[in-house]
Amino acid sequence: GSAIARIIGSNVKKFDKFDNTVLMYVYEEMVDGRKLTEIINTEHENVKYLPGRRLPENIVADPDLKHAVQESDLLVFVVPHQFVNGICNQIKGSLKKNTRAISLIKGFDCRGKGIELISNAISSNLDIDVSVLMGANIASEVADENFCEATIGCVDDNMGKTWQDLFTAKYFRTQVVSDPQTVELCGALKNIVAVASGFVMGLCHSANTRAAVIRLGLVEMIKFINLFYGRARLETFFESCGVADLITTCSMGRNQRVSEAFVTTGKTLAELEKEMLNGQFLQGPLTAMEANKYLVEKGKVEEFPIFTAVYDICYKGKPVTEIIDAMSEASATAKL
């Protein structure tokens, strides 16, 4: 959240249509005896989650969620997906009539029957329009202003331009596509493949094998999206949200790193999450569980051996070597 806030804080000063002050909801924590929001607002640095990178002075940390949103026209959701429902329940009824939102959240909502896109869950809960932004943009590298890209999924051309103005920087380039469901599903499903990639790296460190798991995982992503959504545009997979994000996440994302350590250290995923992620959350295993629930309901589990193997290893205690068996099985049928 803080990495993208740096871009937003800079961009709002370039356009008259944006207010110059950006309120950023921050869950209040104590850091070295001081409130985190106080540190952010005086030292302009999120010392816990983005240390060493200065935030624009027009970014104002607010621990009061309702206060942070009640006068806002645009909302940017950047939280672990398991917290979305609670946040929506807190702010329901506090928003302006024509508020719009964009979600950078990767995962599914499984509170009801089946699974639902996070953007749909936000939209139905708050009765607002929700776009999405996904892509190959690891937060620390965005904060370091290394060049990267992102994909905005939005069906309204005018709103797409507004989001593009809000997020685009010289080092952070965005493209708008009118296929938000595919954009969002890519952002969720690539984390399952990243877990598989981590398992592979922990087992053998073979570049050939990792390339294979990425390719086979992409095939399962496309098949899943067509099953879930029914009309994915193939060209969307060639945007930053697709192949690029998949390669990045499988090479150095948190899901890959923690899953590799799961193999090499013998520690549990929960233990490694606490040790390695500094309070952040691992999304891949949870998304695998949510995807598996959907595949069970559709009777399609056997058609997704890699997704299923990740779920079985993470939640059923199956040996991690099953990922190699799953790849062999997937390779025999990896056709679109």
Side-chain angles (χ1 to χ4, degrees):
S2 293
I4 206 70
R6 295 180 78 247
I7 295 174
I8 294 173
S10 175
N11 283 351
V12 295
K13 293 182 285 187
K14 299 176 183 178
F15 298 93
D16 291 338
K17 61 184 172 183
F18 299 127
D19 191 288
N20 278 1
T21 299
V22 179
L23 293 180
M24 179 174 72
Y25 168 67
V26 175
Y27 179 78
E28 194 68 280
E29 301 177 64
M30 300 301 293
V31 179
D32 296 331
R34 297 176 62 191
K35 293 179 179 179
L36 181 57
T37 54
E38 176 189 334
I39 297 172
I40 292 173
N41 290 335
T42 57
E43 299 178 16
H44 308 292
E45 179 184 351
N46 188 336
V47 294
K48 180 166 184 179
Y49 296 109
L50 199 66
R53 285 85 164 188
R54 186 173 177 81
L55 296 172
E57 294 187 8
N58 60 331
I59 299 292
V60 178
D62 191 338
D64 186 332
L65 180 57
K66 286 186 177 181
H67 179 264
V69 304
Q70 63 187 6
E71 293 299 323
S72 299
D73 298 295
L74 302 176
L75 303 179
V76 180
F77 282 79
V78 198
V79 297
H81 75 273
Q82 57 265 42
F83 298 140
V84 170
N85 184 46
I87 286 175
C88 287
N89 286 338
Q90 288 184 65
I91 65 177
K92 185 182 297 185
S94 300
L95 304 181
K96 294 169 68 174
K97 183 177 180 181
N98 294 317
T99 299
R100 303 291 185 96
I102 192 166
S103 171
L104 282 63
I105 301 168
K106 298 168 180 177
F108 296 115
D109 178 31
C110 286
R111 288 175 293 123
K113 183 178 180 181
I115 60 176
E116 184 178 19
L117 296 177
I118 294 294
S119 61
N120 288 350
I122 296 171
S123 179
S124 60
N125 205 324
L126 300 178
D127 194 25
I128 59 175
D129 290 331
V130 183
S131 302
V132 297
L133 183 148
M134 306 285 161
N137 37 66
I138 292 173
S140 60
E141 296 192 5
V142 174
D144 288 338
E145 301 187 4
N146 293 327
F147 182 87
C148 61
E149 297 179 301
T151 310
I152 296 169
C154 181
V155 296
D156 183 294
D157 290 342
N158 291 330
M159 199 63 223
K161 182 63 170 62
T162 296
W163 292 126
Q164 197 168 30
D165 289 340
L166 190 66
F167 288 107
T168 300
K170 184 177 181 180
Y171 61 91
F172 191 87
R173 309 306 294 176
T174 64
Q175 296 291 331
V176 181
V177 301
S178 57
D179 187 16
Q181 291 89 347
T182 302
V183 174
E184 184 171 3
L185 283 162
C186 281
L189 296 172
K190 54 96 179 184
N191 284 329
I192 305 176
V193 185
V195 174
S197 178
F199 291 158
V200 166
M201 288 297 290
L203 287 170
C204 62
H205 285 272
S206 165
N208 293 337
T209 312
R210 186 167 64 169
V213 78
I214 292 173
R215 186 190 80 82
L216 296 169
L218 176 61
V219 171
E220 290 198 10
M221 286 172 57
I222 296 172
K223 289 170 61 177
F224 187 98
I225 292 171
N226 284 329
L227 176 66
F228 179 84
Y229 174 41
R231 54 185 186 278
R233 298 176 185 172
L234 188 61
E235 57 265 32
T236 303
F237 293 97
F238 293 92
E239 297 289 344
S240 180
C241 65
V243 174
D245 196 10
L246 179 63
I247 293 171
T248 299
T249 306
C250 289
S251 301
M252 59 181 299
R254 74 184 72 164
N255 290 280
Q256 182 273 326
R257 291 185 290 108
V258 172
S259 299
E260 182 176 350
F262 172 76
V263 180
T264 59
T265 67
K267 296 180 180 180
T268 67
L269 290 172
E271 290 171 335
L272 292 166
E273 184 179 62
K274 291 180 181 178
E275 291 179 11
M276 299 176 64
L277 299 186
N278 191 34
Q280 295 180 320
F281 293 86
L282 200 63
Q283 300 296 323
L286 183 56
T287 304
M289 179 179 66
E290 294 162 345
N292 182 262
K293 176 182 176 182
Y294 177 77
L295 293 174
V296 168
E297 291 174 354
K298 295 294 183 180
K300 299 288 186 177
V301 171
E302 293 183 357
E303 297 180 23
F304 294 82
I306 291 177
F307 284 12
T308 301
V310 170
Y311 169 74
D312 286 345
I313 293 165
C314 292
Y315 291 101
K316 292 187 175 181
K318 296 292 182 68
V320 73
T321 51
E322 284 211 357
I323 195 65
I324 305 298
D325 295 334
M327 290 174 61
S328 181
E329 180 181 349
S331 184
T333 58
K335 296 181 180 178
L336 297 175

